Amino acid sequence: SNGHKVILWLAIADFCASLGVFVRSAMWRYFQPMMMKDDDASVIFCAVTSAWTQYFYTCTWLWTFSYAINVRSYLRGEHFSMRRYHAIVWTIGALLTSVGLTVLYYPNADCQNVKELWTALVRVLPNYCATYLPILIVMIGNPIIYQDCSKMINELFMSRYTRVTSYEREVMARFKWKFCLINIVFYICWLPNLIGGFILWTVWGAIPENIMIVIWYAMAAMNPLQAFLNAFVYRRWAKSQEED
């Protein structure tokens, strides 16, 4: 089914994003003197790894949203082809990443030393918007979609069976619990990013360094953990469950 395929591509995008984080972290850990050089090679490496990681993480968010859409369309008896999902996810991901990073790195790739608020608004803020907009869409949209799906599952069981037994109630509870855990995992992994972005832009010029360091550590730990946690929440929860 499309549900299995969406989960597969979500896992692939997660793996690619985590690979980008691993390569970049390894280079900074073991080749820090080379990475600190202000030359074309280090700038290109920084830009390429940033684009790679941001692109595939954006795609994971879009695949997460696509899974929710697919569940609802399945329950409604609608059918969206995987070709459409691929076109939407990879294209929107590429568009958001290219726009955000082009504004950030062009014409001057020295984006780490932005001090003036106006310069930050023009160069840095668009990349934040391109990055965090999909996260917000998933955080707001997925709970609404899954709540709607839970209601449809209840109505489906009520219309199919004259008497709902403990088994049917257990299956319905599993669906709801699975939807809940999918949302919880996403919030755990990406809420630190939103908190950090909110603090950064509300107190620009007087950023609390200690708080931001804690948030950055949380981001470094929780963002790659999405792939690991997804392996548990997207698994098959019931033998009779047709749609994952």
Side-chain angles (χ1 to χ4, degrees):
S1 65
N2 280 352
H4 293 90
K5 296 175 183 177
V6 170
I7 294 172
L8 173 63
W9 284 104
L10 169 59
I12 292 174
D14 254 327
F15 172 79
C16 292
S18 299
L19 180 63
V21 173
F22 174 78
V23 171
R24 182 167 179 148
S25 301
M27 291 295 293
W28 275 99
R29 175 64 177 84
Y30 296 105
F31 302 97
Q32 187 173 3
M34 182 180 68
M35 298 300 299
M36 294 295 292
K37 292 181 180 179
D38 188 16
D39 56 11
D40 292 341
S42 60
V43 171
I44 292 174
F45 175 81
C46 180
V48 170
T49 54
S50 295
W52 173 280
T53 305
Q54 182 171 327
Y55 172 67
F56 281 108
Y57 268 137
T58 301
C59 291
T60 66
W61 308 327
L62 295 173
W63 279 121
T64 301
F65 188 69
S66 297
Y67 180 80
I69 294 294
N70 185 74
V71 172
R72 187 172 65 174
S73 65
Y74 177 84
L75 293 173
R76 288 182 173 180
E78 302 169 349
H79 177 71
F80 289 165
S81 66
M82 281 302 300
R83 184 176 300 178
R84 181 182 300 182
Y85 284 124
H86 281 294
I88 293 174
V89 170
W90 304 120
T91 302
I92 294 179
L95 181 63
L96 291 173
T97 303
S98 59
V99 170
L101 292 183
T102 298
V103 175
L104 182 64
Y105 285 114
Y106 183 83
N108 180 8
D110 185 19
C111 58
Q112 304 297 327
N113 299 314
V114 176
K115 302 298 183 182
E116 298 180 359
L117 178 59
W118 173 250
T119 304
L121 290 174
V122 173
R123 295 190 59 191
V124 182
L125 184 58
N127 187 52
Y128 268 80
C129 293
T131 303
Y132 291 161
L133 180 60
I135 298 178
L136 282 173
I137 290 175
V138 176
M139 285 187 171
I140 297 173
N142 274 28
I144 296 174
I145 294 174
Y146 285 138
Q147 179 65 25
D148 188 33
C149 290
S150 297
K151 293 179 181 178
M152 285 191 285
I153 291 172
N154 288 342
E155 294 173 358
L156 181 64
F157 273 95
M158 293 298 180
S159 62
R160 181 173 296 183
Y161 303 102
T162 56
R163 186 172 65 90
V164 178
T165 66
S166 59
Y167 174 76
E168 282 78 27
R169 292 192 185 93
E170 181 183 355
V171 173
M172 289 188 289
R174 287 183 179 182
F175 271 108
K176 294 178 181 179
W177 185 233
K178 178 175 183 176
F179 296 156
C180 180
L181 286 180
I182 290 174
N183 290 324
I184 290 174
V185 165
F186 193 86
Y187 270 82
I188 289 175
C189 293
W190 298 107
L191 193 58
N193 298 62
L194 293 183
I195 295 174
F198 178 79
I199 294 176
L200 181 67
W201 290 105
T202 52
V203 294
W204 184 271
I207 300 174
E209 294 185 3
N210 292 334
I211 295 177
M212 290 304 300
I213 289 174
V214 172
I215 293 175
W216 288 335
Y217 271 108
M219 291 165 56
M222 300 311 302
N223 292 174
L225 198 60
Q226 174 183 248
F228 175 76
L229 296 177
N230 278 349
F232 293 95
V233 297
Y234 282 99
R235 66 182 177 86
R236 182 181 291 274
W237 282 53
K239 293 182 179 180
S240 61
Q241 185 176 329
E242 297 181 18
E243 178 68 9
D244 279 335

